[in-house]
Amino acid sequence: MSSYIWCHGPSCHTNHTQDRIRGVKGSKVLRTRKVAQTQYNSGDSSHMHMYSFFCSNGCYNDFANKHIERVIAIAPRTEALETPINVTKEQRQYGWRDGTYTETVINRVDNNGG
Ligand SMILES: [Zn+2]
């Protein structure tokens, strides 16, 4: 297993940062960043996440936006999901003795008999 992969951000190599500069005077380039594969950003195969493949949130967003139709095709949402809840009103107190206000409290309903 290699110790790094290239960032998958489609525009990673166009960002103007010192750490991307490679080459000698007269033929310098901005190069795609390497993403080190450490236990902290890749973990084992059941815990891989975006930081295994992207150097930043920006590169992740660029990738998702460029390929959004295919990304959505992985798990299309064709109808709304719902979470059963209980809604109650509770009186709360401001500070020590500054009066009360009503807070709306939302709790998930446990459908598993709990
Ligand atoms: Zn990147």
Side-chain angles (χ1 to χ4, degrees):
M1 175 178 162
S2 64
S3 60
Y4 70 87
I5 60 174
W6 297 108
C7 174
H8 282 55
S11 302
C12 192
H13 65 292
T14 66
N15 291 319
H16 296 185
T17 62
Q18 291 276 344
D19 69 294
R20 289 181 170 91
I21 297 173
R22 293 293 184 276
V24 296
K25 190 173 183 180
S27 61
K28 288 191 180 296
V29 297
L30 292 168
R31 182 178 291 168
T32 299
R33 277 178 171 161
K34 289 178 177 178
V35 180
Q37 299 299 292
T38 69
Q39 63 177 316
Y40 303 108
N41 70 6
S42 64
D44 59 41
S45 58
S46 64
H47 291 96
M48 295 192 88
H49 53 72
M50 59 168 278
Y51 291 117
S52 305
F53 303 96
F54 299 93
C55 74
S56 64
N57 281 86
C59 280
Y60 179 71
N61 291 342
D62 289 345
F63 182 91
N65 286 326
K66 181 176 180 181
H67 301 291
I68 191 62
E69 289 183 21
R70 283 193 281 168
V71 171
I72 292 302
I74 295 167
R77 172 86 59 232
T78 56
E79 56 189 27
L81 303 180
E82 295 181 344
T83 302
I85 57 171
N86 282 325
V87 179
T88 56
K89 303 286 187 185
E90 294 186 10
Q91 292 296 309
R92 301 271 196 236
Q93 189 165 3
Y94 289 112
W96 186 45
R97 58 177 182 182
D98 299 334
T100 61
Y101 64 99
T102 302
E103 181 174 302
T104 301
V105 178
I106 300 173
N107 287 303
R108 272 177 85 147
V109 173
D110 183 355
N111 280 332
N112 299 320

